[in-house]
Amino acid sequence: MSWVTKTLKSTLGRKLIMALTGLFLILFLTGHVSGNLLLFKGDGGEAFNMYAKFMTTNPAVKLLSYLTYISVIGHVIYSITLNRLNKSARPIGYAESGAFTNSTWSSRNMGILGTIILVFLAGHLYSFWFQIHWGDVPIVTYAGEEYKDLYSVVKVAFQQEWMVALYVVAMTFLGFHLSHGFASAFQTLGLNHKKYSPAIKTLGSIYCVLVPVLFASMPLYIYFTS
Amino acid sequence: MQLTLKIWRQKNASDKGGFATYPVDHVSKDMSFLEMLDVLNEELTEKGQDPVHFDHDCREGICGSCSLYINGKPHGPLQTTTCQLHMRSFNDGETVTIEPWRAKAFPVLKDLVVDRYAFDRIIQAGGYVSVGTGGVPDANEIPIPKTIADLAMDAAQCIGCGACVAACKNASAMLFTSAKVSQLALLPQGQVERKTRAEKMVAQMDAEGFGACTNTGACEAECPKGISITNIARMNREYFSAVVSSENL
Amino acid sequence: MILDSKIPAGPLAEKWTKHKFNSKLVNPANKRKYEVIVVGTGLAGASAAASLAELGYNVKAFTFHDSPRRAHSIAAQGGINAAKNYQNDGDSVFRLFYDTVKGGDYRAREANVYRLAEVSVKIIDQCVAQGVPFAREYGGLLSNRSFGGAQVSRTFYARGQTGQQLLLGAYSALSRQVANGKVKLYPRSEMMDVVMIDGQARGIVTRNLITGAVETHTAHAVLLCTGGYGNVFFLSTNAMGSNVTAAWRAHKRGAYFANPCFTQIHPTCIPVSGDHQSKLTLMSESLRNDGRVWVPATKETAEKLRKGEIKVNDIKEEDRDYFLERKYPSFGNLVPRDVASRNAKYVCDEGRGVNETGEAVFLDFRDAIKRDTKAIIASKYGNLFDMYKQITGEDPYQVPMMIYPAVHYTMGGLWVDYNLMTTIPGLYALGEANFSDHGANRLGASALMQGLADGYFVIPYTIGDYLAQTLPKPIDANHPEFIKAAEEVKNRISQLLKIKGKKSVDYFHKILGKIMWNECGMARSAEGLKKAKAEIKELKRDFWADVKVLGTNEELNLTLEKAHRVADFIELGELMIDDALSREESCGGHFREEYQTPEGEALRDDENFAYVAAWKYMGENQEEELHKEPLVFENVKLTQRSYK
């Protein structure tokens, strides 16, 4: 076994993958949420559709998107193997658990939270990402140039109550996942320091509320404004 | 006061085991938890029943022998060792559930006694400075900043009881392993073998079948010596920088 | 047999150097052909096993614990002495030697103590190199404190856990040798006997505590590093498992037992709270630096206090008796351990004890808090106060602590010569298991020093001298002596299991403890000792007729383990009484009521008792035979201790 595979097979190596992919996905979320803020522009979706085209055609973004796919897949696969390893480390469980006194609920249930988010993600990708790439999306023209009208797809989708509700609930789960994941990734990378860790923790607490709230506000905004 | 004890009984390593219930009367609030079990054992002996086996020795919170998962928490409701837990932490009439540490790497030997040799093997993998007896420099030859010495001492206080493993949802031994890696990584004496030590100790920890770390912080919250998870972060740092920069293939 | 202490000739300061040179060496290529057994993995055992393995010997290390790191050395709090003179306050090897001999009330061997002081400096170097995180000053150099009334600051410490850190250091060195394959570790294995071939120790018999298997192990030399026997008193500050079995079995095979009655009682322990009490907890002696020891001035006040009719804080200043300050104006609360302990006993015997059992005195921080503020007191003793509160449920910042003396250390042990060899060739005793360095009383922070000195720096030299005279041939594991010894152990086990009596093992242990504590504890008298001897003889008979040991041998059986140990404690108890009875003087921890000065202080008799009492086992139920090793003092002048 080479030192690389040995490292990646170790518990610490696997955690490193989880942390790095997790942090990359946090970066992705940051970009995603910022871009999507264009939905609030009230220009009938022009800016949003132009942004969508840029995101699907720009080669640099393309590269980043491949990294995102890899991160999602890596994050999922490693979480599954880690979960199996962790379960096997305690074949017989306790009859009584007092875990709620020593750790947060989300920190103990990252797997469940992640699974819910993954299921949501599959649906989300089908509804939008798949559609813009391969689906039957109407075309609009701005300043003589053709654009896929993703905005209308979004608008149609979020006029259905159950979709809005689904998105809001899913974002709650994402919030809980991030509430542990954000600071935890830094701890895994070994970035724990008297001076900086409090700032990371604060940032994490803000992030895990802000980003899901912004995401959730989009379907709500569309639902209530149209 | 009166208590009902629900205790895990298991004849030996291959026995399946199960809970047995014992009522105990005349429990004094000044008794330690283990003394309460001593009283139970005297009663069981009186009746000709096998006493409950549990590990214990110094009974002053330092040897790390005592274990016991009491009411869902390692070493019971307080952040201390079981031997330092007193019955005034319980209420009259309460039911107290007592289980052994649960981890693949800590197999049950009998009743509440588990096998913790895995910890020794982790230390044997590199938890030392390779200096033989004699031929070492004068103790004051290398000054060590007080803050660093204090941090090393914080980590070195680990008593090897295994409460961290017992508390962790993944039965991970990161806190134990990182305490030793940290202590020696902080001190100048540990520098020579710093990289190899981190690599070998982590490899041994994994080989023993402990789980990975989810950073829940349960270990730190339950550690009777208050060992901090900053040590785990330090171990991660040590390990990652070791694997990329050491000469070990 | 004439006891030959093998003390080298020549001036004191040159004895050890000369002796090392004169000791024979084992050819490096031959070292791997020798096997050495080390029983016990505390400070002495772990350091010896590691050091011998480093030299190339094949070591087998045994511990009844699940890990070497659990040995009771781990519980030592205060520190370790070393004559480094880092503080420039006039310390030297000779001063440490002098203090130790004097502190031991002139009942220790000069040459051994000098060697101890001499190697003490190397211990600190060794431990620091291993990564032991001793306390440091802001400049990065090692910090020292004055301990146990010493006039110089020579104590090195690691918070209140010095024993733990030193043991973990030795344990790490041992672990390294286990990884190297030079030490084979046998955890959860209890030594049951020594195997003798042609008058020499050639192996041991053990019981595997998990499976019950009785096993034999061969070696060219056997080291007993099995600690002290304070648990003969049932209640002591020793760990629950600490026992005399290994040493006692060696004694029965011919190793003389020296000064068994020399036990140390520590004054600052948490008092007994009831019959359920299983052990006593020591609190650091440093508390006496600021705490004031007192009891109510009259029996009547004490009685009211015990009944809860008055509160301690309501007792007026003039109704308090600060008895140590009153009797010893110059040393006050800082008198040595034995003096403080004995005086606590006296006031309690007068009916002035302060807790429900009447066996406790106050250690009061009220005045210190008033003088220094609570914050300063908390910074010095915070962890001890917390520990006290956790155990007793009372807050020592609000009400005075209650303390009472408890058995803490045993200075007696297997007789050894200058090479640490017992009277059985090839059998050595190290650390608290031997008798050699502390005389009749041990100074604070000297136990850790002795354990590590023996293991790191004495035995690696002296064992070579013996092994070099032994052929490096493998020992025959099938020798009839091994088979015979194993059979004897098995018989004893089945004998215990067959009794099926009515009384638990602890029942006997508790009675033994009470007898020993009352008659062979802080104060002893011929009358009481004779009575105790008769009681113990009866107890022994009763034990072997009526003890109840449940279960089988072929399993983890804590009752069976304990039954073996208690059986040996009972026999040891009798020998301690014989020893206390024959020593018709008071010295150090041994206080005979008949031999005291008009002021009630210990009265030594150097004319007749300046000797080591070494007892030879003469057979089951036979009186043991006393052998005397005269103590010759060429470098210190014998004086009477005075703390007035």
Side-chain angles (χ1 to χ4, degrees):
Chain A
M1 225 176 350
S2 88
W3 67 272
V4 181
T5 44
K6 221 162 41 187
T7 305
L8 293 183
K9 275 195 138 175
S10 73
T11 47
L12 260 55
R14 295 195 218 190
K15 286 297 299 170
L16 177 70
I17 302 277
M18 288 303 284
L20 289 177
T21 52
L23 280 178
F24 187 80
L25 291 173
I26 284 172
L27 274 181
F28 160 77
L29 281 182
T30 316
H32 190 27
V33 81
S34 327
N36 284 20
L37 288 177
L38 293 170
L39 284 171
F40 295 115
K41 210 176 170 197
D43 59 355
E46 182 177 339
F48 181 74
N49 283 336
M50 288 170 79
Y51 161 72
K53 181 162 184 180
F54 171 78
M55 291 304 281
T56 44
T57 51
N58 182 291
V61 174
K62 202 140 216 155
L63 186 71
L64 283 178
S65 70
Y66 286 124
L67 274 178
T68 310
Y69 305 147
I70 291 171
S71 291
V72 171
I73 293 166
H75 204 71
V76 169
I77 290 178
Y78 268 82
S79 76
I80 292 169
T81 65
L82 270 171
N83 212 37
R84 281 170 61 177
L85 176 95
N86 293 342
K87 283 269 168 327
S88 77
R90 177 168 293 136
I92 302 170
Y94 293 109
E96 192 129 339
S97 169
F100 59 93
T101 61
N102 60 32
S103 50
T104 61
W105 181 86
S106 5
S107 72
R108 294 193 307 275
N109 292 286
M110 291 298 276
I112 294 169
L113 289 165
T115 311
I116 294 169
I117 294 165
L118 182 66
V119 171
F120 162 78
L121 184 66
H124 175 63
L125 287 176
Y126 176 76
S127 312
F128 304 115
W129 174 82
F130 180 82
Q131 297 303 332
I132 195 165
H133 281 92
W134 302 283
D136 195 12
V137 180
I139 303 293
V140 286
T141 312
Y142 305 123
E145 206 173 323
E146 287 192 339
Y147 293 86
K148 286 187 177 173
D149 189 5
L150 185 63
Y151 182 76
S152 66
V153 179
V154 172
K155 215 170 150 178
V156 170
F158 290 150
Q159 273 164 11
Q160 307 164 78
E161 275 158 30
W162 68 270
M163 273 290 266
V164 176
L166 180 79
Y167 269 68
V168 171
V169 171
M171 285 310 105
T172 318
F173 286 114
L174 178 66
F176 280 112
H177 195 74
L178 286 169
S179 75
H180 176 69
F182 191 98
S184 175
F186 288 90
Q187 161 81 5
T188 298
L189 292 177
L191 302 173
N192 185 321
H193 193 279
K194 246 189 193 161
K195 286 181 180 160
Y196 311 114
S197 291
I200 292 173
K201 280 194 183 126
T202 314
L203 191 64
S205 322
I206 297 170
Y207 189 90
C208 76
V209 177
L210 185 68
V211 170
V213 163
L214 283 176
F215 270 130
S217 63
M218 291 165 192
L220 288 169
Y221 171 77
I222 291 172
Y223 179 77
F224 287 112
T225 53
S226 48
Chain B
M1 62 200 218
Q2 285 188 326
L3 293 172
T4 306
L5 301 177
K6 202 178 137 196
I7 303 177
W8 181 263
R9 301 302 306 264
Q10 182 174 335
K11 277 190 96 57
N12 51 47
S14 48
D15 181 34
K16 223 174 130 240
F19 282 100
T21 306
Y22 306 95
V24 281
D25 306 332
H26 314 300
V27 175
S28 141
K29 285 194 178 308
D30 289 329
M31 282 180 178
S32 75
F33 196 85
L34 298 183
E35 284 167 354
M36 185 272 296
L37 289 179
D38 290 343
V39 172
L40 169 71
N41 278 344
E42 280 290 286
E43 284 173 23
L44 290 176
T45 306
E46 180 100 345
K47 289 187 216 156
Q49 296 175 23
D50 194 20
V52 178
H53 280 59
F54 56 91
D55 266 325
H56 66 104
D57 197 33
C58 78
R59 298 212 177 181
E60 45 189 283
I62 193 76
C63 76
S65 294
C66 62
S67 48
L68 307 193
Y69 201 77
I70 303 162
N71 284 346
K73 282 164 74 76
H75 297 302
L78 303 180
Q79 194 182 354
T80 181
T81 55
T82 299
C83 64
Q84 295 297 290
L85 177 67
H86 284 71
M87 297 316 291
R88 66 183 79 90
S89 296
F90 297 86
N91 300 317
D92 193 19
E94 197 175 334
T95 297
V96 182
T97 309
I98 311 170
E99 301 174 72
W101 282 177
R102 293 289 190 196
K104 185 168 80 181
F106 289 168
V108 174
L109 295 172
K110 182 173 182 177
D111 295 342
L112 304 166
V113 178
V114 299
D115 171 349
R116 288 171 284 193
Y117 304 152
F119 271 8
D120 289 316
R121 286 189 294 262
I122 293 175
I123 298 295
Q124 285 157 18
Y128 42 75
V129 177
S130 296
V131 289
T133 305
V136 299
D138 184 86
N140 257 349
E141 186 137 317
I142 312 169
I144 304 175
K146 184 173 163 36
T147 43
I148 298 295
D150 285 347
L151 274 179
M153 180 63 200
D154 288 343
Q157 292 191 81
C158 168
I159 56 174
C161 65
C164 46
V165 174
C168 177
K169 73 180 188 73
N170 308 334
S172 168
M174 298 273 176
L175 194 65
F176 170 80
T177 311
S178 70
K180 190 48 77 181
V181 169
S182 253
Q183 178 202 340
L184 297 177
L186 282 160
L187 296 171
Q189 287 79 12
Q191 297 313 303
V192 175
E193 297 161 283
R194 188 171 173 177
K195 293 175 183 173
T196 309
R197 177 182 306 115
E199 289 179 298
K200 284 190 167 172
M201 288 182 74
V202 168
Q204 188 62 38
M205 173 182 78
D206 288 354
E208 296 293 345
F210 292 106
C213 179
T214 309
N215 302 325
T216 66
C219 52
E220 175 184 82
E222 300 290 4
C223 173
K225 294 293 148 185
I227 309 283
S228 160
I229 57 168
T230 52
N231 292 305
I232 298 182
R234 188 177 291 107
M235 175 172 75
N236 295 352
R237 244 168 21 232
E238 291 293 319
Y239 178 75
F240 298 140
S241 63
V243 289
V244 294
S245 68
S246 78
E247 302 284 334
N248 307 321
L249 283 173
Chain C
M1 180 166 123
I2 292 171
L3 291 167
D4 179 7
S5 60
K6 302 217 173 83
I7 295 171
L12 187 64
E14 289 164 26
K15 283 183 195 288
W16 179 230
T17 312
K18 262 175 69 183
H19 186 70
K20 283 191 282 187
F21 179 75
N22 290 332
S23 295
K24 292 187 184 64
L25 296 173
V26 177
N27 174 342
N30 274 347
K31 282 194 177 122
R32 75 174 76 93
K33 295 180 189 160
Y34 289 101
E35 290 180 307
V36 179
I37 280 175
V38 178
V39 186
T41 56
L43 284 181
S47 58
S51 302
L52 294 177
E54 285 161 13
L55 288 174
Y57 298 112
N58 290 311
V59 177
K60 302 175 191 171
F62 295 82
T63 169
F64 67 79
H65 288 106
D66 66 333
S67 163
R69 66 183 297 154
R70 313 258 187 245
H72 198 53
S73 307
I74 205 151
Q77 298 170 357
I80 176 167
N81 286 332
K84 279 284 197 186
N85 193 29
Y86 280 159
Q87 305 306 322
N88 196 30
D89 58 359
D91 198 12
S92 62
V93 168
F94 193 85
R95 189 178 295 280
L96 176 53
F97 152 76
Y98 183 86
D99 287 355
T100 308
V101 171
K102 182 184 175 206
D105 226 0
Y106 308 99
R107 291 295 174 262
R109 241 186 236 149
E110 274 193 347
N112 282 56
V113 177
Y114 192 87
R115 175 176 66 188
L116 175 67
E118 193 179 334
V119 302
S120 69
V121 296
K122 292 166 80 177
I123 296 172
I124 305 302
D125 299 342
Q126 188 63 34
C127 295
V128 166
Q130 287 168 345
V132 170
F134 281 121
R136 287 181 182 267
E137 304 292 352
Y138 283 101
L141 301 182
L142 290 159
S143 173
N144 290 118
R145 60 184 171 201
S146 152
F147 196 80
Q151 310 279 347
V152 291
S153 290
R154 62 159 77 100
T155 304
F156 294 79
Y157 61 100
R159 294 204 187 133
Q161 293 128 281
T162 317
Q164 180 198 26
Q165 293 311 312
L166 296 179
L167 179 63
L168 293 181
Y171 161 73
S172 72
L174 173 66
S175 297
R176 176 173 156 244
Q177 294 307 319
V178 173
N180 284 348
K182 289 305 291 181
V183 174
K184 181 150 173 32
L185 196 60
Y186 294 84
R188 293 199 198 261
S189 294
E190 181 151 20
M191 176 184 139
M192 306 301 289
D193 212 344
V194 182
V195 180
M196 311 265 296
I197 298 176
D198 302 330
Q200 310 205 20
R202 285 291 180 249
I204 59 170
V205 184
T206 60
R207 178 172 177 269
N208 179 319
L209 299 183
I210 302 297
T211 63
V214 173
E215 293 155 355
T216 54
H217 305 271
T218 59
H220 296 87
V222 176
L223 275 52
L224 299 185
C225 312
T226 50
Y229 48 86
N231 271 347
V232 69
F233 293 89
F234 184 72
L235 286 180
S236 79
T237 66
N238 281 9
M240 302 299 286
S242 302
N243 67 80
V244 76
T245 289
W248 193 252
R249 301 296 162 87
H251 175 56
K252 288 177 119 174
R253 291 278 177 192
Y256 290 13
F257 210 108
N259 298 337
C261 81
F262 286 172
T263 47
Q264 181 168 75
I265 315 270
H266 199 290
T268 50
C269 299
I270 298 177
V272 175
S273 74
D275 274 345
H276 55 262
Q277 191 99 16
S278 60
K279 79 152 270 163
L280 295 169
T281 304
L282 173 79
M283 286 185 304
S284 171
E285 192 157 34
S286 62
L287 288 168
R288 285 198 282 144
N289 288 336
D290 283 300
R292 297 180 70 192
V293 178
W294 66 276
V295 288
T298 62
K299 222 171 118 174
E300 291 68 37
T301 323
E303 215 155 281
K304 276 189 206 161
L305 184 71
R306 285 200 295 270
K307 284 185 187 148
E309 290 165 15
I310 49 170
K311 289 251 174 346
V312 48
N313 286 335
D314 298 336
I315 299 177
K316 288 199 214 74
E317 198 59 25
E318 58 268 28
D319 295 333
R320 299 177 176 203
D321 177 17
Y322 295 92
F323 56 93
L324 289 179
E325 295 172 25
R326 174 172 55 81
K327 284 174 83 173
Y328 308 96
S330 66
F331 274 71
N333 295 299
L334 291 172
V335 289
R337 291 175 177 179
D338 54 334
V339 180
S341 299
R342 212 157 38 240
N343 280 285
K345 175 185 157 58
Y346 289 154
V347 294
C348 291
D349 288 350
E350 289 164 22
R352 295 195 282 148
V354 294
N355 73 346
E356 281 167 30
T357 64
E359 294 200 328
V361 299
F362 287 126
L363 178 64
D364 200 340
F365 288 84
R366 185 191 63 179
D367 298 340
I369 291 172
K370 227 182 278 172
R371 183 187 66 221
D372 291 346
T373 74
K374 187 178 163 183
I376 289 178
I377 295 301
S379 74
K380 282 192 194 168
Y381 310 111
N383 59 339
L384 292 166
F385 279 31
D386 291 347
M387 181 174 89
Y388 181 85
K389 193 177 171 188
Q390 197 157 48
I391 292 172
T392 63
E394 283 186 346
D395 181 2
Y397 294 105
Q398 306 298 332
V399 292
M401 278 185 179
M402 288 194 266
I403 56 166
Y404 200 66
V407 176
H408 177 55
Y409 187 87
T410 51
M411 283 74 68
L414 292 176
W415 185 90
V416 289
D417 62 16
Y418 191 68
N419 293 322
L420 304 182
M421 200 195 288
T422 66
T423 48
I424 296 177
L427 182 74
Y428 293 80
L430 282 66
E432 194 180 348
N434 74 28
F435 86 103
S436 69
D437 295 354
H438 305 297
N441 177 52
R442 179 177 64 75
L443 288 185
S446 283
L448 302 180
M449 172 171 69
Q450 189 221 338
L452 290 181
D454 288 359
Y456 283 136
F457 296 111
V458 178
I459 198 70
Y461 295 95
T462 58
I463 202 170
D465 190 57
Y466 170 75
L467 291 176
Q469 300 170 58
T470 310
L471 284 179
K473 277 193 321 209
I475 309 283
D476 176 14
N478 297 315
H479 191 283
E481 287 298 334
F482 278 99
I483 294 159
K484 201 176 121 208
E487 274 316 306
E488 282 171 22
V489 168
K490 285 180 193 161
N491 288 341
R492 188 181 153 99
I493 292 170
S494 51
Q495 200 187 341
L496 277 170
L497 288 168
K498 260 197 300 220
I499 299 170
K500 296 194 193 300
K502 285 191 289 295
K503 296 168 188 150
S504 73
V505 176
D506 265 3
Y507 165 86
F508 290 100
H509 197 181
K510 281 182 183 176
I511 292 185
L512 173 69
K514 284 216 174 90
I515 299 172
M516 296 303 291
W517 179 243
N518 290 336
E519 306 303 344
C520 198
M522 279 184 280
R524 299 139 181 203
S525 68
E527 193 193 346
L529 288 166
K530 282 178 190 151
K531 190 179 90 184
K533 183 164 165 124
E535 286 171 357
I536 289 184
K537 275 188 184 300
E538 179 51 38
L539 188 71
K540 185 178 170 186
R541 257 194 303 277
D542 195 23
F543 178 90
W544 285 100
D546 204 14
V547 73
K548 185 178 199 173
V549 183
L550 296 169
T552 63
N553 174 54
E554 288 71 31
E555 62 178 331
L556 179 56
N557 189 336
L558 292 175
T559 323
L560 178 61
E561 285 169 31
K562 186 136 198 227
H564 281 290
R565 297 171 188 168
V566 171
D568 292 337
F569 274 136
I570 294 175
E571 294 180 9
L572 166 77
E574 193 181 333
L575 180 64
M576 287 170 72
I577 284 167
D578 287 343
D579 189 42
L581 204 51
S582 81
R583 190 169 280 279
E584 294 174 333
E585 63 160 351
S586 296
C587 60
H590 171 67
F591 188 81
R592 281 283 298 268
E593 286 170 348
E594 303 94 321
Y595 308 100
Q596 49 181 309
T597 63
E599 296 93 43
E601 299 305 324
L603 187 63
R604 243 180 27 237
D605 179 354
D606 296 327
E607 190 92 7
N608 298 304
F609 291 94
Y611 62 74
V612 175
W615 297 86
K616 181 186 178 189
Y617 182 77
M618 302 299 286
E620 199 71 27
N621 297 321
Q622 301 289 312
E623 292 296 307
E624 299 213 359
E625 191 176 275
L626 173 62
H627 293 247
K628 297 174 184 174
E629 179 205 335
L631 290 166
V632 184
F633 295 94
E634 293 166 337
N635 300 278
V636 296
K637 207 174 135 267
L638 279 61
T639 56
Q640 197 71 34
R641 295 188 304 170
S642 171
Y643 300 96
K644 289 282 171 190

